[in-house]
Amino acid sequence: ETAVFQTPNYHVTQVGNEVSFNCKQTLGHDTMYWYKQDSKKLLKIMFSYNNKQLIVNETVPRRFSPQSSDKAHLNLRIKSVEPEDSAVYLCASSSGGVGNTLYFGEGSRLIVV
Amino acid sequence: GDSVTQTEGLVTLTEGLPVMLNCTYQTIYSNPFLFWYVQHLNESPRLLLKSFTDNKRTEHQGFHATLHKSSSSFHLQKSSAQLSDSALYYCALSNSAGNKLTFGIGTRVLVRP
């Protein structure tokens, strides 16, 4: 049963456009994440938030900016997309702490043409 | 930084035969937490099993793995593969704060009749 909801599931856009992905979790977790899964299926963390506070910010281009209004929501905005941004963006949540399970959403597939 | 190395590429096997997927890791953290996530086609990754106890076998859904700190390994095994085991398997390592999972490149398993 899905408890991490992402929208949109699929988006096609042109180079230079702005795109936003939304994520909501209903698990009551304190920690949320954005992961990028590229065409080779490599899974790389981009950001993680704990109770609206940014706690992990990997080496990500400046055009990516996360936004969190409360601990249940974490959005991702890409200001000016590039072809290499084509990927599946996976939102996840956990209760935080070492060893806690990540629960992933269904993903938002971005195609940049 | 932390890193995870997995069996690369595609593992093809016949239904009923055993499967073993290799995973080794590197970290300076003395109490690493290791995970196996599985991703079926058109789905998002979900937890298969996890462990932080040295030399203790962990089992779930017919799969098992044992964390061996002496060899920095957490190999995934199953005695008899099923068609439904065809999927992408990720080994992952938690950082000491528990707010970041580092994933291996993933191993695709194809089980044939």
Side-chain angles (χ1 to χ4, degrees), chain A residues 91-112:
Chain A
C91 177
S93 74
S94 77
S95 53
V98 179
N100 283 299
T101 300
L102 254 60
Y103 294 86
F104 286 92
E106 294 183 346
S108 296
R109 181 178 296 276
L110 174 65
I111 295 177
V112 181

Side-chain angles (χ1 to χ4, degrees), chain A residues 39-71:
Chain A
S39 59
K40 295 181 180 178
K41 301 296 185 182
L42 291 174
L43 258 181
K44 290 274 177 70
I45 189 167
M46 301 175 72
F47 305 100
S48 69
Y49 269 72
N50 182 269
N51 203 9
K52 298 194 301 179
Q53 300 299 315
L54 179 65
I55 50 174
V56 171
N57 184 349
E58 291 295 283
T59 308
V60 176
R62 282 189 168 186
R63 59 182 180 276
F64 289 86
S65 58
Q67 299 162 326
S68 179
S69 56
D70 57 58
K71 71 175 189 177

Side-chain angles (χ1 to χ4, degrees), chain B residues 69-82:
Chain B
K69 292 184 183 179
S70 60
S71 57
S72 299
S73 67
F74 191 57
H75 305 321
L76 182 68
Q77 298 181 69
K78 189 175 185 182
S79 58
S80 176
Q82 299 176 308

